[in-house]
Every structure is written in C-alpha cells, then in structure tokens.
Amino acid sequence: IGEGGARAIAEHLTGLTQLDLSDNNIGDGGTRAIAEHLTGLTQLDLYFNNIGEGGALAIAEHLTGLTQLDLSDNNIGEGGARAIAEHLTGLTRLQLRRNAIGEGGAQAIAEHLTRLTQLDLHDNGIGEGGGRSLLAAFLGRRLRILYLGDNPLTQTLLTPESFQTRDALTILAAWKAHTEAADSGRLQPLDEAKMLVLGDEAVGKTSLVRFITKGLPRDPDERATRGARLYDRITTDGWTPASTGVRLNVWDFGGQEIQHGTHRYFLTRRSLYLVVLEDRREDKGAARATKWLRVIESVAGEDAPVVLVVNKCDGPPQLTFDQDGLMRDFPQLKKVLRVSCNDDARSRESIAKLKEVIASLLTSGAMPHLSDQLPAEWLEVRNAIADMAEKTPVLDQDAYRALCTDDTVTKGREITDADEQRSLLRLLHDLGTVIAHGLERDAAVALSSVRLLDPNWLTTAIYTVLERIKVEDRAGEFSRSDLIDWLHPKLYPEEKHEFIIAMMRDPALELCFRLPSNEERFLAPEGLRENSPDYSQFTKEALRFRYRYAEVPRGLIPRLIVKLHDYLERPPQIWLTGGRFHIGGAMVIVEGDRIDRQIDISVLDEQRRAALFTLRQTMQNLHDNYREIGATAVVPMPDDPEIEERYDYLQQLEEEEGPDYRHRPSGAKRSYAVAELLDSIDEPRRVVRETVPPTHTAPPEREENQRPSQPRQTLLSLAILFPVGAAIFSFLGALRFGLDGFWSALLAFISFVCANFILRLFDRAFVFRRLLIAWVGSGLTLVAIGGIAAQLNIEGFSFDYGGAPTWTVAVIWAIGLLFLVVVAHFEAKREEARSMDRA
C-alpha cells in the first residue's frame, strides 16, 4: 500500500489498537504517520517495510503503550533499537530479526526491556559482548522464547547447539551452568566429533569402517548394513604425530535407496563426512559423488568437512573424474583418496593415509568447535552414556535424569535443572553420543521419553515395517497390532511401539500417517503399489505446473502424500509415484516420473489457483529438505503441455518487458503473452507473500463441504431463466392443457430447475445443488399430495389439474421455498467464510 496508504489509514482509523501492515513498503514516512496518529496502539506488526532509524524513532516517541512490536527485516540499526528499548519499556514481545542492531542495540535491549517474554534478534551482527549482556539480563526473568541464531555470538558463547532452539529457558540454563563452571575452573575441552560414512549400496562402507576402527581387512561374507549403525567410538591417538586423542563416534549408513530418506535425520553439522565410491563402477563417478556432496551440503551446511574415498582400488584406477573441478564446486571437499580393504601391505598403507588425513582435519581448524569448553559434569554424563551404549540400545528419559543427578557420575555436581538437562541432551545428539528426539518443551510424550543409544535399533524397526508392508502387498496399510507380529519382542517390547510409530510420523521423516477411519491403522506411502491410474481424460483441460529434477528421490512423493494426507479422498486415490487430492474446490492430480525426472501437477475445477498455490508451497517445503535434487519449476503451454518454459524466466520477462510481452518458447507453434502463462498460476502469489509457510488445514469429513458454493451465479441463472420460462409455459399450458397461470409457472419452475441441475451436475456448488434438489422435490411432492388428496376427497389440500390450487397448498409451498432459501443463504455465507480461511 506504500506510504500513502499507511498515511490514509493513520488519519482515518484513529481508534485502532492493533495493526498489521507487514510487507507493504510504507517506509519511514508511513511509519511516522502511524506513530503520530494511532497513539492507542498496543500491537504493531511492520516487518519488511523498508523502515530505517527514523521510523523506529517515531514509534519509540509516540507509541509508548505498545506491548507487542514486530519490525523484522527492516534496517533500524543500533540507534533505532536503542530508542525502542529506552522508550517502550512495557514491551512483552519484540521481534527485530535482520535489522543490524549490533552490540549497542543488544545491550540497550538487555538493559531496559526486562518485561519481555518473547525476543527474536536473529541475524543482527551481535557479538560476544552483546550476547553476554542479553543472557545475563534475562537469567531468572520471564523470558520464554529467545532466538539468537546467525549471530557471531553463537560461535563464541556456549556451543552452537545451545542456540539451535528458541526455548529461552534451555539457553539460559546452559549459560548459567557454563558461567558457574568457568568461575570455579571446571570447564574442560570437548575433544569429540562425529564421523559419518555415506555412499551407495555395496561400495564397501562397512569394510572401510572396520579397517579404520579395528584394523581388520574386509570380510567377503559381510552382509549389507541396514539402517544407520553407530559402529564404534574410537580415539585418534597415534594416527599422526600431532594427534591429541580426539574421540570419534563413527557411523556406518546403509546404502539401499529406501534407507536414504531416514539417513538425513542423523546428519548433523558437528561432523566429519566420508563419501565412499567404488572404483569398479567405471561410469558416473562425478555424478554419484555430487549427489552425496549435495545431500551433505543441504543438511549439514557448507562448513562440514568431507573426504571422498574411492574404495576397492586393487589395480590401475578405473573410476576417473575431474577431482579438481569437484573440489572447486564443493569447497567443503578437503581430499580425494583411493583405498583398498584387502589383507595386504598396499591396503594397510592406503588406510593409514586415510587415518592421517582424518586426524589432520580434526586438528587443522576444519572443525573449529571440536575443543569447545564444557562443564566437567556434562562430560561425565556423556562418558556414562557412552558406556551404557555397549549394553542397551535405548535409554529412557527417567534413566537419563538419574544419570544427571547421580553423585557418582557427576562427581558431586548434579544436573538437577530440567532445562539444563535438555540443553546437554541437544549437544549429545549432535555429537552422536545419543539420538535424542522430542527435545522441545511441547514435544509428544512418545518422542520425549526415549533416547537411542544405537540408531540402528530404530532404523531396523522402520525398515522391517516397510518391507513387510511390501512383501504382504498391504497397499501401504498397517496396524499397531502388526508391529507385535513383525518386530522381535525382546528387542522391541510392545511399550516401545508407540515411539516407533511416532518417529515414522515425525515431520523429520514423514513416513506414514494415521487413517481417519480407525485410530489404530496407518498408511505408509513407501509401501504403495507402483501401478498408476490413467487420468489423461481429466487433465486435458487442467491448469498445469511441472517440476524437473536432476534426480527424483524415492521418498519425495511419499513424503508429499504424508504432508497432504488431510486432502485425500475417502478411500485414498494414491500410488507410489502420485495421488489425487481435493484442495478447497479443486481436484489436484500429482504424477511423478522418475525416468523422465519430473513431477506433473494438474488442477481442475473451481479454486484452481488457490489449490495450486497450496501445492507449490508444500513442494517448496519439500525442496528445502532435498536441496540436492536441483528442482526447477516449469510452465507447460496451455494448448501444448509437451512444450514448456522455465517459470523463473517467465517471471523475469514479466518484470523486464511487461505482462503483455509475447514470448514463443522453443518448439511452440505460436507465441504467448507472458500474462497468459503466469496469471492463472501467480494470482495467489500477488495476494499472499511467498514467504508465508503453507497451512494444511484438514477439510471437513464430508466431501461436499470441501467444495465452495457459487450463490451469485446460481441465483442469477434462476433469475433469468425462471421468468422467461414461466411466460412460455404459461402460454403453452393455457393453450394446450387449460392450466391457469400459477400451475403453468410451477411447471416452468420445475422444468428449468431440473435443467439447471443437470447442466451443473458436475460442478462443485454443493450448497445450491442441495437447494435445487429441495425445490424440485418440494414441487413434485405438492403435486403428488394434491393428486392423492383429490382422489381421497380431502378438502383443503385437493385440486384439479385444470384449475387453481387451494390457498393451503400455495401457502405451504411458498413457506417451504422461503425456508430453503434462507437456510441456503446462511449456509453459503458459512461456506464462503471457510473458503476465505482456506485461501
């Protein structure tokens, strides 16, 4: 709305107490007008509005009654933050992410805003000094939500893991423990890291890990690894002359493709990665390496060091690729080595070289947080858990708490605070000492009560369930009781089944969802059949959108089905590579093709744009989790879907040349106006910000209620058709059958209502379809009642077909009609409100 719109609102709506004008480019001028005129505001949201220090000063000077303020994604700087802190001391919620407030702004907030319960200072250039001020100021106060991510302080204060939550109590508990340990000289270096070994199936990962950790050559009878296995906890003493005894938690990941979707749950930033290729596979070496490098970059960031290991090099190199080019494209790739795991001197020499490279990376600064200082009692609990891992695969929450409060474990420094225990657990998870789920305060009980000491315990259970569903051809369905039959009772007692199902449903994995018909039944799309129905007859006139990929991961569409399961029909129409959904008033068909590496989206019927927008937002969320797949959005031509153009290129043309610019894609038979290709796709984008995350509100159980009505169009058609038809039928009725005007009109009404109903039989206007049916039914019922009454000589209801009806019949019919119109009107209003909410 710009500055002018904000000024108009400020001048005329002076009684406002809450205002949200986010993402409207109102600038300092519009902000100043709001501050000067709307002095009664208590809540103000103005994120992403090009507001500088001047706008912040105006807010601070005039809106002293504010309790909630969001100025994220502006540029108020240190001066603006200082003014807000000094004048708006009644604030309880403050969001200033990405505002360059720096050390001074942070220190001012710490000094003055002591009533805050929520504070977001993400990405503000706040260093150690500002961080210390904030943590010290809010210790013991009312603050419950604190977000300090992407500030320099996260690299120097505490550990990076401590700031990966917004739970202020957890962060502050870690700060208290750290400062008390520093004051008493109890801080000790961590000296521990996680090494993860990744690669495709049968490249020799397990043999490589065994040779590194135990010095044993490969076993020809070695079975394939299932899941993610915490193979060993070792020290690097003697690997190089400078080795200082850093401890490594070494993980071996199974290579079968079905397992890749769960692997990413265990990949963390504080890790060293080995990517293993096989020398005997002579083709696509760079492509396979690139795939894994992108996975690591997607999940662990660009700073996690990687060593590329070409295994099974028993003779002259067979697998060749551009190593230097690969290292330029991926700076995190530190070394490429060729090794063998045979029982000979050459193999032992190659493994020794690999160990030397690993040890050098641990001591060269490639992993800067390796020697973070931690309270001594935290390290003692870590050691105790590592010892327990050799005896049991699962640690209950109660057992973990007992370790934290055991004098003999903590050497007299018990960790009794629940928030401090949760902070320590978050660190141990990233180290690979334990796999901790449900770390947030509001996590489900099933997730927060169990910690895994052997991740293979979980992955083996999950793969067993998925494999049994496939083998028994269950079409993806399974029940809680099936786990009793499928899982080993000693390893997986029944009380742990709820945790396994909860993990399969966890947003990080999204492997299954609960079926609505029965609380004890679930559907795992990974177990669906591959046969797909033919929807070509439906999609010819559909609105189309398409994604192309460098590679389509096996789990991409199953995860999409889980995300959108609230929009499935009953029973679900889904298969391994696609499904049919009803989103709002539209039918959406998703069809994946792993050979052509694409996903096609076809949207039919009403509300097509809103439905496509919801689906695109969901796909974007998936692509954020699978950034390595190289997703590219393309727009098929409306009259020739085999011809397509990149979506981002069309947007660029619209921005640079205008919406009327005509463009002819390669291979197209004609040119198209850019607006012709984008308008049907982008209209929701022009109303709703792309940065708003999708909301997947479940539609009502009845299919009719999923589909919005069109009251204006329906009533308009009746208003036009009925008088014309009534006149025609009155004339014909009087001429041929001797009917009077009323019954001729009634006959016309029934006829045209039936015609209208038939013509609109396949639309989505269910509200008024019911109304039309009711009108038809009421008219025919009255005719039947009158005829029966005439035969039985019942006075007051009878009439003959050549004369007028009695007043009783006419009044009953009119009252019934009026009642139905009123009911339909209010029902349409409610449905319109639901549609607006969904949009």
Side-chain angles (χ1 to χ4, degrees):
I1 66 173
E3 180 179 334
R7 191 176 297 279
I9 289 173
E11 291 174 354
H12 296 285
L13 303 181
T14 54
L16 288 176
T17 59
Q18 299 180 21
L19 178 63
D20 184 348
L21 291 181
S22 299
D23 194 8
N24 271 294
N25 197 31
I26 68 173
D28 282 347
T31 304
R32 189 174 293 109
I34 289 171
E36 291 174 354
H37 291 83
L38 305 182
T39 55
L41 284 174
T42 60
Q43 178 177 335
L44 179 61
D45 294 320
L46 294 178
Y47 68 79
F48 200 55
N49 261 299
N50 195 28
I51 299 171
E53 182 175 336
L57 291 173
I59 291 172
E61 181 181 352
H62 297 284
L63 301 182
T64 54
L66 283 177
T67 60
Q68 301 184 43
L69 176 63
D70 186 351
L71 290 179
S72 299
D73 292 291
N74 287 293
N75 191 31
I76 68 172
E78 179 179 329
R82 189 179 297 279
I84 287 171
E86 291 175 354
H87 291 83
L88 306 183
T89 54
L91 284 174
T92 60
R93 176 176 68 86
L94 177 61
Q95 293 171 268
L96 293 179
R97 60 167 51 205
R98 288 187 287 271
N99 263 288
I101 70 171
E103 301 280 71
Q107 290 169 352
I109 290 170
E111 181 180 353
H112 298 285
L113 299 183
T114 55
R115 298 183 184 181
L116 286 175
T117 60
Q118 300 181 37
L119 177 61
D120 184 350
L121 297 179
H122 170 83
D123 193 9
N124 266 291
I126 304 172
E128 185 173 341
R132 287 182 179 275
S133 298
L134 288 167
L135 296 174
F138 290 109
L139 192 62
R141 295 191 180 273
R142 290 182 278 181
L143 193 67
R144 293 296 179 268
I145 295 177
L146 175 62
Y147 193 37
L148 296 173
D150 283 352
N151 283 295
L153 67 91
T154 62
Q155 305 301 313
T156 56
L157 294 177
L158 305 178
T159 63
E161 293 78 16
S162 299
F163 297 101
Q164 288 176 3
T165 176
R166 302 186 187 209
D167 185 346
L169 295 179
T170 300
I171 298 172
L172 295 171
W175 172 250
K176 180 181 178 183
H178 190 276
T179 53
E180 290 179 351
D183 292 341
S184 60
R186 291 184 291 105
L187 289 180
Q188 297 179 8
L190 175 61
D191 288 341
E192 182 170 348
K194 185 175 178 182
M195 186 172 77
L196 302 101
V197 184
L198 303 171
D200 293 332
E201 186 176 7
V203 295
K205 296 185 298 298
T206 301
S207 296
L208 179 65
V209 169
R210 188 193 302 107
F211 217 145
I212 293 173
T213 59
K214 300 182 182 300
L216 299 176
R218 70 181 183 88
D219 178 2
D221 299 324
E222 182 75 49
R223 297 182 63 185
T225 300
R226 298 179 66 195
R229 182 180 180 186
L230 180 53
Y231 192 88
D232 213 339
R233 293 177 170 90
I234 59 174
T235 64
T236 59
D237 284 331
W239 287 16
T240 67
S243 293
T244 56
V246 173
R247 180 156 67 175
L248 277 180
N249 298 315
V250 184
W251 291 52
D252 176 20
F253 286 84
Q256 294 91 339
E257 187 182 14
I258 193 175
Q259 303 179 32
H260 293 175
T262 54
H263 288 352
R264 54 205 315 122
Y265 190 82
F266 303 104
L267 309 187
T268 55
R269 291 180 178 270
R270 193 191 286 265
S271 303
L272 168 67
Y273 289 86
L274 300 189
V275 172
V276 185
L277 306 179
E278 183 184 9
D279 187 55
R280 298 168 188 170
R281 302 183 185 185
E282 300 180 16
D283 59 338
K284 299 182 180 179
R288 286 187 279 119
T290 298
K291 179 190 76 172
W292 286 108
L293 288 167
R294 284 178 175 162
V295 169
I296 295 168
E297 184 180 73
S298 173
V299 178
E302 299 180 357
D303 298 328
V306 182
V307 177
L308 183 59
V309 181
V310 182
N311 194 18
K312 304 183 182 180
C313 294
D314 305 325
Q318 300 180 55
L319 181 65
T320 59
F321 51 90
D322 183 1
Q323 298 181 18
D324 293 339
L326 202 59
M327 296 179 76
R328 283 194 300 271
D329 293 339
F330 297 93
Q332 64 269 44
L333 178 57
K334 305 302 182 183
K335 196 74 174 179
V336 178
L337 294 174
R338 294 180 178 270
V339 304
S340 180
C341 296
N342 295 322
D343 188 10
D344 55 46
R346 180 179 177 181
S347 297
R348 281 188 282 273
E349 182 180 349
S350 68
I351 297 299
K353 178 62 177 176
L354 174 58
K355 293 166 69 173
E356 181 181 338
V357 168
I358 292 170
S360 297
L361 289 172
L362 297 176
T363 57
S364 66
M367 302 184 69
H369 296 289
L370 191 62
S371 297
D372 282 346
Q373 300 287 309
L374 296 175
E377 58 270 24
W378 284 30
L379 298 178
E380 296 296 344
V381 172
R382 175 202 65 178
N383 295 336
I385 290 177
D387 293 338
M388 289 185 65
E390 299 176 1
K391 305 172 185 177
T392 179
V394 177
L395 175 69
D396 290 323
Q397 178 70 4
D398 291 340
Y400 170 68
R401 293 195 185 105
L403 284 176
C404 291
T405 55
D406 188 337
D407 262 354
T408 60
V409 171
T410 61
K411 307 293 178 60
R413 296 282 182 175
E414 299 95 334
I415 305 173
T416 58
D417 186 90
D419 297 310
E420 184 182 346
Q421 292 173 0
R422 191 158 48 249
S423 185
L424 170 57
L425 202 56
R426 189 180 300 277
L427 173 64
L428 297 178
H429 170 79
D430 265 19
L431 291 174
T433 307
V434 64
I435 303 302
H437 311 279
L439 289 171
E440 300 305 326
R441 191 176 301 277
D442 58 352
V445 175
L447 293 181
S448 60
S449 63
V450 174
R451 281 62 179 100
L452 299 180
L453 303 180
D454 178 8
N456 200 51
W457 181 90
L458 172 65
T459 53
T460 298
I462 290 176
Y463 300 143
T464 299
V465 172
L466 296 179
E467 288 169 1
R468 291 299 294 268
I469 292 172
K470 274 283 192 182
V471 169
E472 298 184 14
D473 198 18
R474 295 285 196 93
E477 292 192 25
F478 69 98
S479 67
R480 192 185 302 275
S481 60
D482 286 329
L483 271 62
I484 299 175
D485 299 329
W486 293 346
L487 300 178
H488 194 288
K490 290 185 179 180
L491 288 175
Y492 304 98
E494 192 171 345
E495 60 268 21
K496 295 293 190 294
H497 291 179
E498 178 62 29
F499 170 76
I500 294 168
I501 293 175
M503 278 305 307
M504 293 181 69
R505 299 179 64 194
D506 187 88
L509 295 179
E510 293 177 320
L511 291 174
C512 74
F513 59 88
R514 191 189 300 275
L515 289 170
S517 58
N518 191 321
E519 286 294 304
E520 297 299 315
R521 294 196 64 79
F522 305 86
L523 194 148
E526 285 274 10
L528 290 170
R529 302 181 181 101
E530 297 188 19
N531 296 335
S532 60
D534 182 7
Y535 283 114
S536 57
Q537 58 179 329
F538 295 102
T539 59
K540 290 178 180 177
E541 303 300 323
L543 172 62
R544 296 172 179 268
F545 201 74
R546 181 175 297 147
Y547 290 98
R548 291 203 172 275
Y549 303 89
E551 179 183 9
V552 181
R554 174 191 172 93
L556 187 65
I557 294 181
R559 286 193 72 170
L560 175 67
I561 293 171
V562 174
K563 281 183 177 295
L564 294 178
H565 72 269
D566 284 330
Y567 296 113
L568 289 170
E569 298 175 331
R570 307 291 185 258
Q573 303 296 313
I574 49 179
W575 55 100
L576 185 61
T577 57
R580 191 172 79 182
F581 308 88
H582 278 288
I583 303 176
M587 180 169 71
V588 181
I589 298 171
V590 178
E591 299 173 289
D593 189 329
R594 298 191 69 194
I595 297 176
D596 289 339
R597 295 176 296 182
Q598 68 184 47
I599 291 178
D600 272 294
I601 300 168
S602 304
V603 191
L604 300 94
D605 304 318
E606 311 297 338
Q607 301 293 322
R608 297 197 296 181
R609 294 170 180 146
L612 179 58
F613 176 71
T614 296
L615 193 60
R616 283 173 53 204
Q617 290 286 74
T618 307
M619 292 297 296
Q620 183 59 52
N621 182 268
L622 274 176
H623 295 159
D624 288 343
N625 291 327
Y626 289 89
R627 282 177 287 181
E628 73 277 5
I629 61 180
T632 301
V634 299
V635 179
M637 299 302 104
D639 50 0
D640 191 355
E642 297 303 316
I643 306 299
E644 60 191 34
E645 186 58 88
R646 284 176 60 108
Y647 172 62
D648 58 356
Y649 180 60
L650 292 174
Q651 287 182 307
Q652 180 182 346
L653 286 179
E654 181 184 45
E655 182 178 344
E656 296 178 355
E657 307 292 345
D660 296 328
Y661 179 78
R662 299 196 69 81
H663 169 64
R664 184 170 183 170
S666 176
K669 298 177 182 178
R670 67 179 181 91
S671 63
Y672 302 83
V674 174
E676 181 183 358
L677 301 176
L678 287 181
D679 279 355
S680 60
I681 294 170
D682 276 355
E683 185 170 277
R685 176 180 61 87
R686 294 169 183 166
V687 179
V688 185
R689 297 173 66 241
E690 284 283 5
T691 55
V692 176
T695 54
H696 305 303
T697 305
E701 281 298 312
R702 290 177 59 86
E703 184 180 3
E704 294 91 339
N705 292 338
Q706 297 179 0
R707 304 173 177 181
S709 60
Q710 295 177 305
R712 291 188 179 89
Q713 293 89 329
T714 303
L715 290 179
L716 181 62
S717 64
L718 289 176
I720 294 174
L721 290 173
F722 179 68
V724 175
I728 296 173
F729 269 80
S730 295
F731 175 76
L732 293 177
L735 181 67
R736 177 68 180 83
F737 300 106
L739 300 181
D740 66 3
F742 178 87
W743 287 105
S744 296
L746 177 60
L747 179 60
F749 176 80
I750 293 173
S751 301
F752 278 91
V753 162
C754 290
N756 195 40
F757 169 66
I758 293 171
L759 289 173
R760 302 178 61 83
L761 184 61
F762 297 103
D763 73 359
R764 303 294 178 185
F766 267 73
V767 175
F768 277 84
R769 185 188 300 183
R770 288 197 294 271
L771 174 62
L772 297 177
I773 293 172
W775 282 353
V776 173
S778 66
L780 294 177
T781 300
L782 288 174
V783 172
I785 291 174
I788 294 171
Q791 293 296 323
L792 300 177
N793 295 318
I794 301 176
E795 295 185 1
F797 287 90
S798 62
F799 57 87
D800 61 71
Y801 290 96
T806 64
W807 281 107
T808 307
V809 173
V811 169
I812 290 174
W813 188 85
I815 292 174
L817 174 61
L818 180 62
F819 174 75
L820 290 167
V821 169
V822 171
V823 170
H825 171 75
F826 284 108
E827 187 174 357
K829 286 290 187 183
R830 288 195 299 272
E831 183 60 32
E832 185 177 359
R834 294 191 196 105
S835 297
M836 290 295 292
D837 288 341
R838 284 194 291 268

